[in-house]
């Protein structure tokens, strides 16, 4: 029987869609994704109710989810990240059940262990053939790596490939091959590749962010880790990305050739690969179109699964071989616990992604953030949600100074010897409060709207409804 379906509805019917199922989606098209909205709209027309959305991440483009929740089509969400539009509605009590937040490593671990069951996986495929050989490197909506969809394809009860670029058999390369795919459906458009690039994937031009990035590069320089074979990951924030432009001349001056760059890959890391600063890139998600082109054309730029990237249950994972990771924060407390799930008012606007995974694996975990935002200190007595536990965080870098986790006295001594401005984290908090005043306690409701699941499956915090 042919795997090709005449319509999305036919694919959903053949996959056996019914009330109460869990449907999964990947987020490589980021804020340009159309597939999740198309599937849920068709499910609503079919009269299906009580669905759980199991998505690797949700963005503002997925705001139509709000209406589907209000109408009972969707009653549960499990995700690694949630954008601000949906996050605001969830924070105000939209869902009866708390959202379950996982990390990019915790999600595939939960799926492949059987702790999370997916009934139907819908895979947005920039290129597919009639039997379900899929890749993300060709087609009008090319997004590069499909790494977050690999576990879904391997473990879901049924797998539906949704494509706008149906090519003759066999499609090559095949990131996900035909042995894992049940049905293929062609639609007019799976998404806008321009939506892959968002404001968080560009280097900052703000002088404060650039000062932070400069300090961060100096921390790496004097950490003792910057040597041949050095491995590195940076987050998608503007200041995090800016670290690369300060690191390059340091590596050039020292004659350092790195081993690999990891994670969500940007054009900045592609430049470093092509200029000889790194031997390889390991890519679970392309953050911009430059990276999409590179993973298609450069054999030293490898696609990897989320399981290989960061799963704590894999026999080994790339994050465990990281020397340095640069990450952001909305809040960090005196014990170096980091919040990236909510803003300073407690409203959901993010998620762990690979934050807690890389922090656990890297030899040096560095948080880069301004001393205050919107006149609110970044360092607080207690974060509103623990996304990444403080015992996996080594350094906080701000524009006014650097704090080192007391568990790393040797690193502190090395940075002080290099002449960097090192302070106890409490002193950075007080420094900010002298400029901003002491923030008022944040009011919260009694109902839990989100559960923060650590990468090993433990619930490490709860997110409460905001007034």
């Amino acid at each position: 029987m042919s795997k090709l379906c005449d319509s999305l509805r036919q694919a959903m019917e053949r996959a056996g869609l019914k009330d109460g199922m869990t449907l999964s989606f990947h987020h490589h098209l980021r804020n340009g994704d159309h597939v999740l909205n198309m599937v849920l709209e068709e499910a609503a027309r079919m009269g299906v109710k009580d669905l759980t959305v199991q998505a690797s991440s949700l963005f503002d483009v997925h705001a139509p989810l709000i209406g589907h929740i209000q109408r009972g089509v969707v009653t549960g969400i499990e995700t690694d990240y949630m954008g601000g539009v949906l996050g605001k509605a969830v924070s105000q009590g939209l869902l009866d059940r708390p959202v379950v937040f996982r990390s990019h490593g915790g999600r595939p671990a939960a799926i492949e262990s059987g702790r999370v069951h997916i009934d139907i996986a819908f895979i947005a495929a920039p290129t597919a053939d009639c039997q379900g050989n899929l890749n993300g490197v060709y087609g009008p909506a090319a997004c590069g790596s499909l790494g977050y969809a690999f576990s879904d394809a391997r473990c879901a009860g049924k797998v539906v490939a949704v494509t706008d670029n149906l090519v003759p058999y066999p499609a090559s390369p095949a990131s996900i091959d035909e042995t894992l795919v049940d049905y293929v459906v062609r639609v007019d458009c799976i998404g806008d590749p321009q939506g892959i690039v968002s404001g968080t994937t560009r280097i900052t031009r703000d002088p404060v962010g650039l000062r932070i990035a400069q300090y961060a590069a100096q921390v790496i320089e004097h950490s003792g880790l910057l040597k041949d074979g050095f491995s590195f990951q940076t987050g998608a924030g503007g200041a995090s990305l800016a670290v690369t432009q300060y690191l390059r001349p340091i590596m050039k001056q020292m004659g350092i050739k790195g081993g690999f760059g990891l994670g969500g890959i940007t054009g900045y890391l592609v430049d470093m690969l092509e200029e000889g600063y790194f031997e390889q890139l390991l890519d679970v998600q392309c953050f911009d179109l430059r990276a999409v082109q590179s993973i298609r054309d450069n054999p030293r730029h490898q696609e990897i699964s989320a399981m290989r990237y960061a799963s704590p249950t894999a026999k080994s994972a790339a994050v465990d071989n990281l020397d340095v990771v640069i990450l952001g924060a909305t809040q960090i407390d005196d014990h170096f616990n980091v919040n990236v799930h909510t803003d300073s008012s407690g409203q959901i606007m993010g998620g762990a992604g690979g934050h807690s995974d890389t922090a656990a694996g890297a030899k040096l975990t560095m948080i880069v953030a301004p001393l205050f935002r919107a006149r609110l200190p970044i360092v607080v007595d207690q974060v509103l949600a623990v996304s990444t536990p403080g015992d996996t965080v080594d350094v906080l870098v701000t524009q006014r100074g650097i704090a080192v986790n007391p568990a790393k006295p040797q690193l502190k001594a090395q940075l002080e010897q290099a002449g960097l401005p090192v302070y106890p984290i409490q002193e950075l908090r007080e420094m900010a409060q002298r400029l901003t005043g002491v923030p008022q306690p944040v009011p919260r409701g009694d109902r839990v709207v989100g559960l923060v699941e650590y990468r090993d499956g433990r619930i490490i915090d709860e997110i409460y409804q905001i007034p």
Side-chain angles (χ1 to χ4, degrees):
M1 187 169 63
S2 172
K3 292 182 180 180
L4 274 177
C5 299
D6 296 331
S7 66
L8 187 58
R9 174 176 284 222
Q10 186 185 62
M12 294 162 72
E13 289 173 344
R14 288 176 67 180
L17 178 65
K18 61 183 180 181
D19 292 356
M21 279 189 162
T22 295
L23 313 183
S24 80
F25 305 87
H26 70 88
H27 74 283
H28 295 90
L29 284 169
R30 294 170 64 79
N31 209 37
D33 173 55
H34 293 178
V35 171
L36 184 147
N37 291 340
M38 284 193 294
V39 168
L40 293 182
E41 185 177 339
E42 193 60 49
R45 283 197 286 262
M46 293 169 67
V48 177
K49 301 284 188 181
D50 193 27
L51 297 173
T52 295
V53 169
Q54 168 56 259
S56 52
S57 285
L58 296 165
F59 291 86
D60 288 347
V61 72
H62 300 125
L65 252 172
I66 295 171
H68 293 306
I69 292 168
Q70 292 168 336
R71 291 185 288 274
V73 178
V74 173
T75 57
I77 294 177
E78 300 180 8
T79 188
D80 305 349
Y81 174 96
M82 181 177 288
V85 173
L86 182 58
K88 179 178 181 180
V90 168
S91 293
Q92 292 174 344
L94 175 68
L95 275 164
D96 291 335
R97 284 192 276 153
V99 172
V100 178
F101 287 98
R102 294 189 176 90
S103 71
H104 283 337
R107 180 179 186 269
I111 292 170
E112 300 215 11
S113 70
R115 193 160 56 84
V116 166
H117 174 70
I118 297 168
D119 294 295
I120 309 174
F122 292 89
I123 298 179
T127 290
D129 64 28
C130 61
Q131 299 298 340
N133 295 296
L134 318 177
N135 70 62
V137 297
Y138 294 109
C143 62
S145 175
L146 295 179
Y148 290 120
F150 286 16
S151 291
D152 304 52
R154 282 196 289 262
C155 301
K158 297 291 181 181
V159 176
V160 177
V162 185
T163 188
D164 55 8
N165 185 41
L166 192 65
V167 300
Y169 179 92
S172 180
S175 297
I176 293 170
D177 72 56
E178 60 192 294
T179 63
L180 301 175
V181 177
D182 296 284
Y183 306 105
V184 180
V185 58
R186 186 188 180 281
V187 298
D188 291 335
C189 180
I190 63 168
D192 177 7
Q194 295 299 322
I196 296 172
V197 182
S198 68
T200 62
T201 56
R202 296 185 179 95
I203 282 181
T204 184
R205 295 184 178 180
D206 173 45
V208 170
L210 293 175
R211 170 60 67 87
I212 293 168
Q214 189 173 23
Y215 278 149
Q218 291 175 313
V219 170
I220 296 171
E221 178 183 5
H222 298 290
S223 67
L225 296 170
L226 192 57
K227 52 192 175 184
D228 285 342
F230 168 73
S231 56
F232 177 68
Q233 178 174 334
T234 181
S240 300
L241 292 172
V243 176
T244 59
Q245 75 180 28
Y246 289 106
L247 189 60
R248 285 158 80 175
I250 295 172
M251 291 178 71
K252 184 175 183 179
Q253 182 181 7
M254 296 175 66
I256 299 296
K257 191 175 185 70
F260 68 92
L262 178 65
I265 299 298
T266 65
Y268 309 111
L269 279 173
V270 170
D271 289 341
M272 294 184 79
L273 174 71
E274 294 181 351
E275 293 167 14
Y277 291 98
F278 288 105
E279 290 282 359
Q280 296 187 69
L281 298 180
L282 304 181
D283 191 341
V284 71
Q285 174 185 201
C286 294
F287 271 145
D288 57 33
L289 300 183
R290 177 94 167 86
V292 173
Q293 179 187 26
S294 174
I295 200 171
R296 181 186 67 222
D297 299 337
N298 191 338
R300 293 190 295 131
H301 186 161
Q302 298 181 42
E303 179 181 40
I304 63 170
S305 69
M307 193 76 173
R308 181 183 173 190
Y309 168 51
S311 171
T313 61
K315 293 182 179 180
S316 66
V319 294
D320 298 324
N321 293 282
L322 264 180
D323 288 318
V324 176
V325 64
I326 310 293
L327 301 168
T330 57
Q331 295 177 313
I332 184 168
D333 66 26
D334 289 354
H335 300 289
F336 287 81
N337 297 306
V338 178
N339 175 17
V340 288
H341 279 86
T342 79
D343 63 16
S344 55
S345 69
Q347 180 178 303
I348 295 168
M349 43 63 69
H355 201 286
S356 57
D357 299 308
T358 51
K363 296 182 180 70
L364 174 62
T365 299
M366 193 184 322
I367 306 299
V368 295
L371 195 61
F372 51 86
R373 288 192 185 97
R375 299 198 63 79
L376 288 172
I378 195 78
V379 185
V380 295
D381 295 333
Q382 184 177 0
V383 293
L384 294 175
V386 176
S387 309
T388 297
D391 60 2
T392 63
V393 175
D394 302 309
V395 180
L396 167 65
V397 179
T398 75
Q399 76 274 29
R400 298 292 182 94
I402 299 163
V404 180
N405 192 318
K408 296 281 184 159
Q410 183 178 347
L411 177 62
K412 179 174 181 285
Q414 289 168 203
L415 301 185
E416 287 177 333
Q417 187 175 0
L420 292 172
V422 179
Y423 302 95
I425 195 168
Q426 296 84 355
E427 193 168 334
L428 287 181
R429 174 166 53 83
E430 293 163 5
M431 195 184 297
Q433 289 178 355
R434 286 196 294 271
L435 296 167
T436 65
V438 178
Q440 296 298 311
V442 176
R444 72 179 192 185
D446 296 326
R447 190 156 73 87
V448 174
V449 297
L451 299 173
V452 180
E453 184 176 300
Y454 193 52
R455 60 198 303 262
D456 61 5
R458 290 178 294 129
I459 301 299
I460 59 171
D461 213 341
E462 299 171 331
I463 302 172
Y464 286 83
Q465 183 175 355
I466 60 175

